[in-house]
Amino acid sequence: MQVLVYGAGQLAQMMYLAGVPLGIDVQAVDVGSETVVHPVSKQPLDMSLMQAIEAADALTVEFEHVPEHLLEEAAKSGKLMPGIETILVGADRVREKHLLDTLKVANCPHQVVTDLAQLDDCVATLGERLIIKASRDGYDGYGQWRLTDASALEALKAQLSSLDLTAVPLVVEQMLDFDRELSIIGIRSKSGEIKVYPLAENLHHQGQLHVSVAPATDISDELTEQAQQIFTTLAEGMDYVGVLAVELFQCGDKLLVNELAPRVHNSGHWTLTGAITSQFDNHLRAVCGLPLGDTVELGPSAMVNVIGCTGFSRDLLSIPGCHLHWYGKTVRGKRKMGHINVTADSYQELGNKLAELAQTLPEEAFPKLAKEAKRLQRV
Amino acid sequence: MQVLVYGAGQLAQMMYLAGVPLGIDVQAVDVGSETVVHPVSKQPLDMSLMQAIEAADALTVEFEHVPEHLLEEAAKSGKLMPGIETILVGADRVREKHLLDTLKVANCPHQVVTDLAQLDDCVATLGERLIIKASRDGYDGYGQWRLTDASALEALKAQLSSLDLTAVPLVVEQMLDFDRELSIIGIRSKSGEIKVYPLAENLHHQGQLHVSVAPATDISDELTEQAQQIFTTLAEGMDYVGVLAVELFQCGDKLLVNELAPRVHNSGHWTLTGAITSQFDNHLRAVCGLPLGDTVELGPSAMVNVIGCTGFSRDLLSIPGCHLHWYGKTVRGKRKMGHINVTADSYQELGNKLAELAQTLPEEAFPKLAKEAKRLQRV
């Protein structure tokens, strides 16, 4: 079988690696040059995009910001999974909020702004502590602004005055005092079967995911059920096929959806070594119509992103249960270069291993690690 | 880093898949055409063998029957691991027996035969129940003959009369009444660190491995220690670097070495899903001078070879903890097409899963499966 993935980054690479054992040949589309490339070497393959679309059993995406004309061409084949509407939901916060509200899925109080004058109404309705997000092309903290005091509103308006809000509206959200960030990742098959991984707890720094721990600690049965209900409502509501990631805020005993990613997700990379079947394996199984694999965890796991950093010793590989997953990219700014997965038999042991790991890594690139290690050591 | 593997079959493919996450680019040598190919697609890469040798950080083999002139060329680079002498031991039963005897490692009583007349002496010394093996180019049961009764000796001599025993001597072994076949797989690093996986129990049929179960059931501490001692003696004796597989016969509380494989081994494929670090990962770590990974098992595992067979339902993937690993080869005779790994929390559960698996697979291609499932269900 063949699967064509739009996007040729690390997620396509990890799908390729999961595909080979399943007998599935994964090819990637470099969406800039619109060429078909090998997902690992990134070398062009000897076929046109149209040929690759025709030859593929399934088409899918590794990121939601695929140019719309490519998505439309892909959708025409009838083999794009998840569907184009769903991918566009992931790429556009206005569509996303509309979907969440339509499906009555709890999310942050928000307003859509197409004119800066509406911001006054936002402050009146949502309060003066706001997060303002461009509705499209924003990721990893780009295209986001914060208001913490109404007196700064005019300055913010001035800052935003050059934006074309008719073309790209803003989504203005109430800044929530949430307890922590979680995510639920699951898979829905063509026949409607759903499996979910245990909830992950995600630590961000400057808008980027730094550390995930799965299963998240201190998760009540009620919280698990709430997350699974949210996942099911969304996946069924979108008639979704494949892996879907749902980012959540926990506020007390209540979960609110922060955002959706219609694809395999960074907070699910722990499944490569920490679950019976990885998210990449399961995504391919779903889009190829194969039975879904078990999503049970093997024990507590952590995933540590390597961001904008290559200068560290490979001695970390000597920590038992510590695996490096390198993406083979050139270092640039805050680029994700790879991740480190750590598995253990208990949270305490996981904490000990992360503490050991923290000592081998430069603190400035891994600012969340030592503290998280300490927290887990005390669980 | 780059590693060049002589041989472009499934073992090179699995090394490639293990290499990508480690940031190691694995290339394969098609030893027939002496060209460098991609280990998965088998497409020729744009480089000569000499260029690949020069660019590689390490050279290694996926099988021991690499033409000697290629091994000599590889050895000249100073980067071949394990060393050429060791690989030749694996390819030549005379050298292998000599090594075992030199290192005083227990093995089957045997004699080397360079003239058919010596067979009479073999019968006199070793008894009339003999296994006669070509010393080179024999694998998976090819190049082997059996004598069970002295009266059949003359007929056997006639059958062997066309062989050039000066070029390729025979190794004649006493046919042992062993209890079962086991294997120990381990890794030795450049600095001499050794790690071993738990013993696997191997079920053969017509000279081919069909099922491995690891950790093997009913292994006493004494037996484990004996196996580890054998492994250490051999690995240190050969100044070995990389993964080494040692096939063993268990006779009561005594282990005898059957044969060595100076490479990753079919009876270690369970480590892909059943151990913290796979044999492929650890082989690359060793030859690249990276720290070795943990060899602890995640639970009881089984590996089931798919031999000469493609016609079975992919529904087996719905069995929890069941993974297919497909090699992407054209079916031909008794070719190994792939393997199925099954992981479980107990032997009983493993047995249940294998029983379920056996029901989805054609019995003629998997003749050992149902019985092994039953055995494990009763452990």
Side-chain angles (χ1 to χ4, degrees):
Chain A
M1 280 186 288
Q2 289 188 23
V3 171
L4 187 65
V5 181
Y6 285 78
Q10 63 265 25
L11 302 181
Q13 174 171 306
M14 289 186 269
M15 279 191 242
Y16 171 85
L17 296 176
V20 175
L22 286 167
I24 299 170
D25 185 26
V26 172
Q27 298 157 342
V29 182
D30 178 324
V31 300
S33 63
E34 301 189 8
T35 52
V36 184
V37 302
H38 190 280
V40 179
S41 71
K42 321 298 180 200
Q43 292 295 310
L45 298 178
D46 189 22
M47 65 181 77
S48 70
L49 179 52
M50 276 316 296
Q51 285 171 326
I53 291 172
E54 271 170 41
D57 297 280
L59 280 63
T60 192
V61 299
E62 67 145 21
F63 73 139
E64 48 277 26
H65 302 287
V66 174
E68 227 165 298
H69 72 278
L70 289 182
L71 287 179
E72 281 161 6
E73 187 180 63
K76 268 189 213 144
S77 72
K79 298 182 284 194
L80 180 63
M81 283 165 281
I84 184 168
E85 291 304 324
T86 298
I87 297 166
L88 293 175
V89 159
D92 184 329
R93 293 181 200 280
V94 173
R95 290 181 192 240
E96 185 178 68
K97 294 294 187 195
H98 179 71
L99 176 87
L100 293 169
D101 292 343
T102 306
L103 295 174
K104 297 188 173 47
V105 172
N107 64 91
C108 308
H110 62 270
Q111 274 182 230
V112 174
V113 162
T114 51
D115 184 317
L116 287 180
Q118 295 167 314
L119 283 174
D120 296 285
D121 184 49
C122 291
V123 170
T125 316
L126 301 170
E128 63 183 350
R129 289 168 50 79
L130 299 174
I131 301 179
I132 296 105
K133 299 175 175 176
S135 60
R136 287 208 302 275
D137 301 318
Y139 59 94
D140 278 0
Y142 297 103
Q144 296 200 9
W145 302 269
R146 277 160 186 259
L147 184 73
T148 50
D149 188 320
S151 67
L153 183 57
E154 291 312 311
L156 180 69
K157 280 184 190 171
Q159 201 187 337
L160 301 177
S161 61
S162 63
L163 300 179
D164 177 0
L165 302 190
T166 323
V168 182
L170 299 171
V171 170
V172 177
E173 293 176 353
Q174 196 176 69
M175 202 183 294
L176 290 173
D177 287 325
F178 55 85
D179 304 319
R180 56 177 173 168
E181 296 187 58
L182 302 168
S183 60
I184 184 161
I185 293 181
I187 321 99
R188 187 168 177 267
S189 74
K190 288 182 183 179
S191 64
E193 187 193 2
I194 285 177
K195 281 182 188 273
V196 295
Y197 290 99
L199 282 159
E201 177 166 355
N202 304 317
L203 303 180
H204 290 81
H205 179 71
Q206 297 176 349
Q208 282 186 299
L209 179 64
H210 272 244
V211 177
S212 289
V213 172
T217 57
D218 285 318
I219 298 285
S220 65
D221 290 349
E222 290 72 27
L223 218 58
T224 298
E225 206 176 303
Q226 206 181 131
Q228 291 180 351
Q229 190 53 56
I230 288 172
F231 184 89
T232 302
T233 302
L234 288 169
E236 292 183 346
M238 295 189 280
D239 195 18
Y240 198 93
V241 176
V243 164
L244 168 70
V246 184
E247 292 185 33
L248 302 161
F249 292 136
Q250 181 183 353
C251 306
D253 57 4
K254 175 107 184 122
L255 296 175
L256 301 178
V257 171
N258 176 30
E259 59 182 63
L260 308 179
R263 53 172 169 84
V264 290
H265 192 257
N266 198 167
S267 72
H269 290 1
W270 67 271
T271 62
L272 280 166
T273 46
I276 298 215
T277 318
S278 81
Q279 61 167 347
F280 304 99
D281 191 326
N282 260 327
H283 185 65
L284 292 177
R285 291 184 185 214
V287 302
C288 290
L290 296 169
L292 303 183
D294 210 348
T295 50
V296 170
E297 77 278 9
L298 298 169
S301 281
M303 188 286 311
V304 179
N305 269 335
V306 182
I307 297 176
C309 163
T310 56
F312 57 89
S313 162
R314 276 8 180 208
D315 284 353
L316 60 90
L317 291 170
S318 67
I319 301 169
C322 189
H323 287 88
L324 178 65
H325 202 116
W326 202 242
Y327 305 152
K329 303 193 293 192
T330 313
V331 67
R332 198 166 65 211
K334 296 218 166 169
R335 208 172 190 200
K336 290 175 187 165
M337 302 302 296
H339 69 265
I340 300 159
N341 273 1
V342 184
T343 53
D345 290 329
S346 67
Y347 287 113
Q348 290 76 3
E349 193 193 61
L350 186 61
N352 293 342
K353 290 179 177 184
L354 290 186
E356 204 180 334
L357 182 61
Q359 287 184 338
T360 75
L361 295 170
E363 201 192 334
E364 61 278 15
F366 300 88
K368 293 282 176 182
L369 192 54
K371 197 177 158 199
E372 181 62 3
K374 254 187 208 151
R375 184 185 75 83
L376 289 167
Q377 285 172 318
R378 290 191 204 116
V379 166
Chain B
M1 280 186 288
Q2 289 186 25
V3 172
L4 187 66
V5 182
Y6 285 77
Q10 63 264 26
L11 302 180
Q13 173 170 305
M14 290 186 268
M15 279 191 241
Y16 171 85
L17 296 176
V20 174
L22 286 167
I24 298 169
D25 185 25
V26 172
Q27 297 156 345
V29 182
D30 177 324
V31 300
S33 63
E34 303 190 7
T35 53
V36 184
V37 302
H38 190 281
V40 179
S41 70
K42 323 297 180 199
Q43 292 295 308
L45 297 177
D46 188 21
M47 65 181 78
S48 70
L49 179 53
M50 276 315 296
Q51 285 170 328
I53 291 172
E54 270 170 42
D57 297 281
L59 281 63
T60 192
V61 299
E62 68 146 21
F63 74 140
E64 47 277 28
H65 301 288
V66 174
E68 224 165 304
H69 73 278
L70 288 181
L71 286 179
E72 280 162 8
E73 187 179 64
K76 267 191 213 143
S77 73
K79 297 182 283 191
L80 180 64
M81 283 165 280
I84 184 167
E85 290 303 324
T86 298
I87 297 166
L88 294 176
V89 159
D92 185 327
R93 293 181 201 280
V94 174
R95 291 181 193 240
E96 186 178 67
K97 295 294 186 194
H98 180 71
L99 176 87
L100 292 169
D101 292 342
T102 306
L103 295 175
K104 297 187 173 48
V105 173
N107 62 91
C108 306
H110 62 269
Q111 273 183 232
V112 175
V113 163
T114 51
D115 184 316
L116 288 179
Q118 295 168 312
L119 283 175
D120 298 285
D121 184 48
C122 291
V123 171
T125 317
L126 301 171
E128 62 183 348
R129 290 168 51 77
L130 300 174
I131 301 180
I132 296 107
K133 299 175 177 176
S135 60
R136 285 208 304 275
D137 300 323
Y139 59 92
D140 278 0
Y142 297 102
Q144 296 199 8
W145 302 267
R146 277 160 186 260
L147 184 73
T148 50
D149 188 321
S151 66
L153 184 58
E154 290 312 311
L156 180 70
K157 280 186 191 169
Q159 200 188 337
L160 301 177
S161 61
S162 63
L163 300 179
D164 178 359
L165 302 190
T166 324
V168 182
L170 298 171
V171 170
V172 178
E173 293 176 353
Q174 196 176 71
M175 204 183 295
L176 291 174
D177 286 324
F178 55 85
D179 304 318
R180 54 177 174 169
E181 296 186 58
L182 302 167
S183 61
I184 184 162
I185 292 180
I187 320 101
R188 186 166 178 268
S189 74
K190 288 183 184 180
S191 65
E193 187 194 1
I194 285 177
K195 281 182 189 272
V196 295
Y197 291 98
L199 281 159
E201 177 166 354
N202 304 318
L203 304 181
H204 290 81
H205 179 71
Q206 297 177 349
Q208 282 186 300
L209 179 64
H210 272 244
V211 178
S212 289
V213 171
T217 57
D218 285 318
I219 297 286
S220 65
D221 291 349
E222 290 70 27
L223 218 58
T224 297
E225 207 175 301
Q226 207 181 129
Q228 291 179 351
Q229 190 52 56
I230 288 172
F231 184 89
T232 302
T233 302
L234 288 169
E236 290 182 348
M238 297 188 280
D239 195 19
Y240 199 92
V241 176
V243 165
L244 169 69
V246 184
E247 292 185 32
L248 302 161
F249 291 137
Q250 181 182 352
C251 307
D253 57 3
K254 176 106 182 122
L255 296 175
L256 300 180
V257 171
N258 175 31
E259 58 181 64
L260 310 178
R263 53 171 168 85
V264 289
H265 192 257
N266 197 167
S267 72
H269 290 0
W270 67 271
T271 63
L272 280 166
T273 47
I276 298 214
T277 317
S278 81
Q279 61 168 347
F280 305 98
D281 190 327
N282 260 328
H283 185 66
L284 292 176
R285 290 183 187 215
V287 301
C288 290
L290 296 169
L292 302 184
D294 211 347
T295 49
V296 171
E297 78 277 11
L298 298 168
S301 282
M303 187 285 310
V304 179
N305 269 337
V306 182
I307 297 176
C309 163
T310 56
F312 57 89
S313 160
R314 278 3 180 210
D315 284 353
L316 61 89
L317 291 170
S318 67
I319 301 169
C322 188
H323 286 89
L324 177 66
H325 202 116
W326 203 241
Y327 305 153
K329 302 193 294 193
T330 313
V331 68
R332 199 167 62 211
K334 297 218 166 170
R335 209 172 190 199
K336 290 177 187 164
M337 301 303 295
H339 69 265
I340 300 160
N341 274 1
V342 185
T343 53
D345 290 330
S346 68
Y347 287 113
Q348 289 78 1
E349 193 192 61
L350 185 61
N352 293 341
K353 290 180 178 185
L354 290 186
E356 204 181 334
L357 182 61
Q359 288 184 339
T360 75
L361 295 171
E363 200 193 334
E364 63 278 14
F366 300 89
K368 293 284 178 182
L369 192 52
K371 195 176 158 202
E372 180 63 3
K374 254 186 209 150
R375 184 185 75 84
L376 290 167
Q377 284 173 318
R378 290 191 204 117
V379 165

